[in-house]
Amino acid sequence: MRDYDEITAFLGEWGPFQKIIFFLLSLSIFPNGFCGMSIVFVGGIPEHRCFVPGNLNLSEAWMNRTIPLEQAKGKLQYSKCRRYRLDVIRNLSEIFPDPDSVNISEVEQEPCLDGWVYSKDQYMSTIVSEWDLVCDDDWKGPFVMSVFFMGVLVGSLCCGQLSDRFGRKIVLFGTMATQIGFSIVQLLSPNWEIFCLLNFFVGFGQISNYVTAFVLGSEFLRKKVRIIFGTVGICIFFAIGYMALPLIAYFARSWRILLFILSLSGLMYIPMWWFIPESPRWLLTKGRVQEAEAILQHAAKKNGVNPPMTLINELKLEVMENEKKQHFSVIDMFRNRSMQAIGVISLLVWMITSAGYFGLSLNTPNLHGDDYLNCFFSAVIEVPAYIAAWLFLQRFSRRFSLSGSFFMGGGVLFFIRLIPSNLPTLSTALVMIGKFCTTTAFSVLYVYTTELYPTTIRNLSVGVCSMFSRLGSIISPYIFYLGSVV
């Protein structure tokens, strides 16, 4: 008896039908590129300092002395979280008209009791400036992204079960609607707490859309095209979405306007419903033979080939074979000592790679130079990284491709600490090389993991590893946070 791939071999490998599926499913990943990374600009931290009320009747000279100077990152600048006690400053200004005649540095300091003043040179508004997520509340900015990745974690757990139960197509479009819908609702967030809650559901929709598109493409495309789809196709469109983010953010300096413009991209997915069919492989697992046959007949017509006369009988046999298949659980990943070693190492590698990738991606505001250009370069570098991953997989062993990427990326990032502070451009270039290597490793990791496990638990194993990597994603915003305070 032939398996599903042999039954559908008459369709060919790269006909018009496969090209449409390849392109549309890759295009469906476009919003994922900017959805997760939009926090770089939505949660951007403008220059700020304590607000000083205007009713103190201070002269301009005294007003300029209300904020203490402090050393930060090798240069002297106004404090962002402290000011001199205003009652003392007011009393001194009445006695000494000239502030230079007083040693103001000895005046007691106080926190920003009246709020902050934010520079509008780069951003008109962000969630940081709107809800004062600075100083004692500066942990709330990274936490927004951690909540997003918590949603990604839950989505990783649920999307496989949802798509197995309700179908790939329903879940694909349902999670795209969830992602875009909650992004639009975020515009109406009255406070930080509501924004965080909504960000959880955005994360849930984002990963579910990605995984479901990946699975649907894998079930439609044959082996050679499947590898290109997984390492280049959907990844390139992810990178294009990522590249679009700084271009749009440059012109939309308000976080609400930025989210609204990004959310409008969801409108282009409505017509896709009529062009992306349900997975025939999934339909067969549910015993829906006639529907699977109709889709395959349509695919054959698109490709200009004739299906075999025995197609319906072979599909019925495939349904019977599916009913006999044994079900496996996570425990099967750790059945023996060899599998246990592979399992533990895989989980750790996935977690570390995810933390490194998102840590470097979210860290672009801390780099030298323009934030928009740095974010764009961080996105552009992913395109050659995905192509490099595909080339490595074609020419070298999986172990060499993965370990080589890790070694080169780790070495480059380690040497950044040795670069003199007067060469910030060189440091930024090394960060981009590190991002290139980490992205390459991440792409190779998907393929390598699928080949480490037997067919019976392959999908399960990749799902568990992907889920575990979300733990690394959750802590990655605080890697970025450390970069802003160290």
Side-chain angles (χ1 to χ4, degrees):
M1 190 177 114
R2 301 193 298 170
D3 62 18
Y4 178 82
D5 285 336
E6 292 174 326
I7 294 171
T8 57
F10 69 91
L11 292 174
E13 195 165 80
W14 190 235
F17 178 77
Q18 288 93 338
K19 291 175 182 177
I20 292 172
I21 294 297
F22 186 103
F23 175 75
L24 292 181
L25 289 178
S26 297
L27 183 61
S28 73
I29 303 301
F30 175 79
N32 293 42
F34 56 70
C35 182
M37 301 303 177
S38 63
I39 195 66
V40 171
F41 301 106
V42 170
I45 306 174
E47 290 296 321
H48 57 277
R49 64 186 206 177
C50 293
F51 173 70
V52 178
N55 59 0
L56 297 176
N57 296 321
L58 297 176
S59 67
E60 184 177 351
W62 272 103
M63 186 69 76
N64 291 334
R65 298 297 184 88
T66 54
I67 307 297
L69 291 169
E70 58 184 24
Q71 197 78 16
K73 295 185 177 180
K75 60 181 181 180
L76 204 61
Q77 60 184 26
Y78 284 110
S79 173
K80 297 179 179 181
C81 300
R82 306 288 294 176
R83 69 185 183 186
Y84 293 118
R85 280 187 54 182
L86 295 186
D87 56 341
V88 176
I89 291 292
R90 183 171 54 187
N91 292 336
L92 288 173
S93 68
E94 292 174 354
I95 301 172
F96 305 98
D98 184 5
D100 290 332
S101 59
V102 181
N103 186 3
I104 300 179
S105 62
E106 296 181 355
V107 175
E108 185 180 351
Q109 297 181 13
E110 63 182 5
C112 301
L113 302 177
D114 299 297
W116 290 262
V117 176
Y118 296 92
S119 168
K120 295 188 182 295
D121 291 342
Q122 183 170 351
Y123 305 109
M124 291 301 295
S125 69
T126 69
I127 61 171
V128 172
S129 62
E130 184 159 333
W131 298 315
D132 291 332
L133 308 183
V134 293
C135 299
D136 290 341
D137 287 334
D138 61 354
W139 61 271
K140 291 183 177 180
F143 188 73
V144 168
M145 202 59 199
S146 289
V147 171
F148 173 88
F149 286 120
M150 291 177 193
V152 171
L153 174 62
V154 175
S156 300
L157 288 168
C158 298
C159 66
Q161 299 177 43
L162 290 173
S163 63
D164 284 345
R165 182 171 181 179
F166 299 106
R168 316 308 194 208
K169 183 176 178 178
I170 291 289
V171 173
L172 175 66
F173 285 92
T175 52
M176 281 196 292
T178 299
Q179 178 182 349
I180 300 300
F182 279 99
S183 294
I184 294 175
V185 176
Q186 275 186 312
L187 303 174
L188 308 176
S189 300
N191 51 49
W192 171 78
E193 290 80 6
I194 297 297
F195 185 90
C196 278
L197 177 63
L198 295 173
N199 217 32
F200 175 89
F201 292 104
V202 174
F204 178 92
Q206 195 247 22
I207 188 62
S208 301
N209 163 32
Y210 188 97
V211 172
T212 307
F214 183 85
V215 171
L216 189 55
S218 299
E219 292 179 345
F220 268 119
L221 303 170
R222 296 185 67 79
K223 187 174 182 181
K224 287 184 179 179
V225 181
R226 197 180 299 159
I227 293 176
I228 300 174
F229 174 74
T231 56
V232 179
I234 59 177
C235 294
I236 293 294
F237 276 85
F238 178 92
I240 293 173
Y242 190 1
M243 284 186 273
L245 171 62
L247 297 177
I248 297 171
Y250 181 81
F251 296 100
R253 301 296 180 102
S254 167
W255 73 269
R256 293 182 192 272
I257 295 175
L258 175 59
L259 278 185
F260 177 72
I261 294 173
L262 295 178
S263 300
L264 288 179
S265 66
L267 296 176
M268 71 179 180
Y269 297 112
I270 296 175
M272 286 188 188
W273 175 267
W274 288 275
F275 293 95
I276 299 178
E278 181 56 87
S279 166
R281 191 188 292 259
W282 177 80
L283 290 171
L284 291 176
T285 64
K286 298 298 180 181
R288 294 157 63 174
V289 179
Q290 284 75 19
E291 293 175 62
E293 184 195 15
I295 292 171
L296 293 174
Q297 294 277 7
H298 172 73
K301 185 178 179 181
K302 279 279 185 184
N303 287 354
V305 297
N306 295 317
M309 298 295 292
T310 58
L311 177 62
I312 186 67
N313 294 326
E314 290 184 305
L315 293 177
K316 288 178 179 178
L317 288 174
E318 177 70 9
V319 171
M320 294 172 61
E321 186 65 21
N322 286 330
E323 291 173 352
K324 298 176 184 178
K325 287 182 179 178
Q326 184 180 356
H327 296 283
F328 296 88
S329 67
V330 178
I331 298 174
D332 293 289
M333 288 180 62
F334 305 93
R335 279 294 183 191
N336 53 55
R337 184 160 295 181
S338 175
M339 294 284 285
Q340 289 166 6
I342 291 173
V344 171
I345 293 172
S346 295
L347 296 178
L348 289 175
V349 169
W350 274 79
M351 184 182 74
I352 294 168
T353 307
S354 180
Y357 172 82
F358 286 105
L360 289 171
S361 299
L362 297 174
N363 190 52
T364 50
N366 293 329
L367 301 178
H368 171 75
D370 184 80
D371 290 351
Y372 299 95
L373 280 177
N374 287 337
C375 183
F376 181 75
F377 292 145
S378 179
V380 168
I381 202 69
E382 295 201 3
V383 176
Y386 293 131
I387 296 173
W390 176 65
L391 292 174
F392 285 160
L393 291 170
Q394 298 295 317
R395 296 175 178 270
F396 304 106
S397 69
R398 306 319 193 214
R399 182 183 297 181
F400 176 83
S401 300
L402 185 61
S403 59
S405 300
F406 280 140
F407 181 78
M408 183 177 175
V412 166
L413 295 174
F414 175 80
F415 280 110
I416 289 177
R417 302 299 298 178
L418 306 179
I419 302 298
S421 58
N422 61 342
L423 296 174
T425 305
L426 179 58
S427 296
T428 301
L430 292 178
V431 169
M432 294 303 166
I433 295 173
K435 174 71 183 299
F436 171 89
C437 296
T438 305
T439 304
T440 302
F442 218 158
S443 188
V444 171
L445 193 57
Y446 267 95
V447 177
Y448 193 13
T449 304
T450 60
E451 296 175 350
L452 282 174
Y453 290 96
T455 304
T456 52
I457 60 169
R458 184 169 294 155
N459 287 341
L460 172 68
S461 302
V462 174
V464 171
C465 289
S466 178
M467 181 196 72
F468 206 80
S469 75
R470 306 310 161 192
L471 298 177
S473 305
I474 290 170
I475 66 172
S476 65
Y478 286 94
I479 298 175
F480 150 70
Y481 175 73
L482 287 174
S484 65
V485 298
V486 174

